[in-house]
Amino acid sequence: MDKLEEEGVFESEILLRVEYSVLHNTKAMTVAEYWNADYLYWFFFVMIIIGLLTFIAFICLLYAIRLYAQYTCGIYTGKTKMDGKTVIITGCTSGIGKETARELAKRGARVIMACRNIDAAEEIKNEIIEMTKNENVVVKKLDLSSFASIREFAEDINKNEQHLEVLIHNAGYAESFKKNKSIDGIELTMATNHYGPFLLTHLLIKLLKKSSPSRIVVVASSLYRIGSVNLNNPNPVDTFPGYLYYVSKEANILFTRELARRLEGTGVTANCLHPGLIDTGIWRSVPRPLSWGLNLIIKGFFKTPVQGCQTSVMLAVDENLLKVTGKYFSDCEESSVSSSASDMGRARKLWEISEKMVKLEDDDPRL
């Protein structure tokens, strides 16, 4: 009996302990579940608030950056008129070229739109005439990647124009990946952005000198700092095309500085500029998906074409710059260039190379 009683007591203790454990664990689980549910509710609520505040802060930061970019964007406010003066602008069917043409027509200039796409240029011409009421706007065919087209254009200008006060090298070409050559066998970016303007300047220089004081304006870019002209490879047909846009922009600056030196005392000035990063068609060559993210940046922070043309207009018309030459401008102010782009030894060497590349003839004007 004693043994059976002991076993009964033992079993009872076990049952009591099991019941206590079950009750205790049940209570603990109930508390834990309640606490976890409450905690998760507040956790998600706090995280949502933090997320919203972070998003708002990010939007405010972007807006502040945009306001800063707008505030520091140079705007030319001069009222100088251009009545009786002739201006040639290359690449006028879109972007800052179109807005430069519009602004100079508004100031009364005879504007010659030198463009590759005649149909598009005619539409823009009609738009400019309607807006400015200046009927003295004409379109002429010019493909800067073709030496034959450049010579034909220059012959027309020299024959039919009595004077030329401003030549604006605005047209630009960029390609991301596809390698292309001009009809003359020259890498297409370098042909359009440097060698074409180089030849055109030579062929029109007599008319510019005859019309002095006159000006040559070259649209370069601060992106030139990404590239560097390889003087040992003047026709880089095997180089990554996207890189060559930056190379051509350094070439623009070197060309302008040497041009200004050679034109000293002639009454013809030469200056170049950085228009800013502009929302223009030149970025359309960037392929997807790279273009997706780039488009967000472009729409959010790049200048509009109207803002981008301001420095070009200033260099074309500002009377205070009548004798300023060989300079680089940005946001309507004179700016500095890198030691590489200011190396006159490199500028002279590039000039000599360019003379050979464009095949200047014996009876062509020389500088």
Side-chain angles (χ1 to χ4, degrees):
M1 288 293 293
D2 293 339
K3 186 175 181 181
L4 291 174
E5 288 178 356
E6 288 178 0
E7 290 179 354
V9 170
F10 180 72
E11 290 177 356
S12 297
E13 288 181 355
I14 292 176
L15 289 172
L16 288 172
R17 289 178 182 178
V18 169
E19 288 177 0
Y20 175 79
S21 176
V22 169
L23 290 172
H24 178 77
N25 289 338
T26 301
K27 183 177 180 180
M29 289 175 64
T30 302
V31 172
E33 288 174 358
Y34 173 79
W35 185 84
N36 283 338
D38 192 53
Y39 171 76
L40 289 174
Y41 170 78
W42 284 105
F43 175 78
F44 284 122
F45 178 75
V46 171
M47 291 303 296
I48 290 172
I49 296 298
I50 292 174
L52 286 174
L53 291 175
T54 302
F55 177 75
I56 292 171
F58 179 70
I59 295 299
C60 289
L61 176 62
L62 293 181
Y63 185 68
I65 295 173
R66 182 171 177 80
L67 282 180
Y68 175 78
Q70 297 291 328
Y71 179 76
T72 56
C73 175
I75 300 297
Y76 180 62
T77 57
K79 304 300 182 183
T80 305
K81 300 295 291 182
M82 296 288 284
D83 297 302
K85 295 184 178 181
T86 299
V87 179
I88 291 176
I89 309 172
T90 65
C92 303
T93 55
S94 64
I96 62 175
K98 172 184 174 181
E99 298 305 329
T100 302
R102 189 199 309 272
E103 180 61 32
L104 296 183
K106 189 191 303 181
R107 292 171 183 265
R110 170 174 168 77
V111 176
I112 299 175
M113 301 173 61
C115 304
R116 183 175 54 183
N117 188 333
I118 294 295
D119 293 336
E122 286 290 345
E123 290 184 12
I124 300 302
K125 181 195 79 170
N126 294 333
E127 179 184 317
I128 291 174
I129 291 175
E130 182 178 356
M131 175 173 286
T132 65
K133 309 307 178 186
N134 181 352
E135 298 282 344
N136 208 0
V137 180
V138 297
V139 171
K140 291 184 181 291
K141 174 76 172 181
L142 173 63
D143 181 353
L144 282 168
S145 70
S146 166
F147 295 155
S149 176
I150 294 170
R151 288 185 175 278
E152 184 178 347
F153 172 82
E155 183 180 1
D156 178 16
I157 296 297
N158 287 321
K159 179 180 179 181
N160 297 304
E161 299 297 327
Q162 300 302 310
H163 50 89
L164 175 61
E165 281 74 21
V166 183
L167 170 61
I168 302 179
H169 290 301
N170 170 82
Y173 172 82
E175 179 61 66
S176 297
F177 299 105
K178 187 178 180 181
K179 296 178 180 180
N180 290 309
K181 293 181 183 179
S182 73
I183 193 172
D184 302 293
I186 298 176
E187 194 285 321
L188 194 58
T189 302
M190 292 299 294
T192 305
N193 296 358
H194 170 63
Y195 292 118
F198 181 88
L199 176 59
L200 181 61
T201 301
H202 277 76
L203 299 180
L204 295 179
I205 198 62
K206 286 185 177 180
L207 186 58
L208 284 161
K209 288 180 178 179
K210 173 187 172 183
S211 309
S212 65
S214 54
R215 313 181 188 200
I216 300 170
V217 179
V218 181
V219 178
S221 171
S222 65
L223 294 176
Y224 80 88
R225 295 177 184 272
I226 300 176
S228 180
V229 176
N230 183 353
L231 297 174
N232 295 317
N233 185 19
N235 188 19
V237 291
D238 294 322
T239 303
F240 180 58
Y243 174 71
L244 291 176
Y245 175 77
Y246 314 126
V247 172
S248 71
K249 295 295 105 177
E250 187 189 48
N252 289 158
I253 298 172
L254 291 170
F255 163 59
T256 302
R257 290 177 62 82
E258 179 64 9
L259 177 62
R261 186 187 71 82
R262 291 173 181 251
L263 288 173
E264 287 180 1
T266 65
V268 183
T269 62
N271 293 291
C272 56
L273 66 111
H274 167 56
L277 296 176
I278 316 296
D279 181 6
T280 67
I282 199 168
W283 303 104
R284 293 177 192 144
S285 64
V286 178
R288 292 187 293 266
L290 295 177
S291 61
W292 297 341
L294 180 61
N295 284 335
L296 292 176
I297 297 173
I298 290 172
K299 298 302 180 184
F301 302 106
F302 282 23
K303 290 181 180 180
T304 65
V306 172
Q307 294 168 334
C309 79
Q310 298 297 310
T311 307
S312 295
V313 172
M314 183 191 75
L315 290 179
V317 309
D318 195 339
E319 294 173 337
N320 295 321
L321 300 176
L322 191 62
K323 295 183 179 180
V324 174
T325 191
K327 304 299 182 180
Y328 174 78
F329 289 79
S330 178
D331 281 323
C332 297
E333 293 182 354
E334 185 178 336
S335 187
S336 61
V337 295
S338 68
S339 58
S340 176
S342 60
D343 185 337
M344 294 307 296
R346 295 184 73 233
R348 285 192 291 272
K349 181 64 175 177
L350 177 62
W351 187 282
E352 293 167 359
I353 291 171
S354 299
E355 286 182 326
K356 297 176 182 177
M357 291 296 295
V358 303
K359 300 177 181 178
L360 284 179
E361 300 173 1
D362 292 339
D363 58 346
D364 286 333
R366 299 275 176 161
L367 289 168

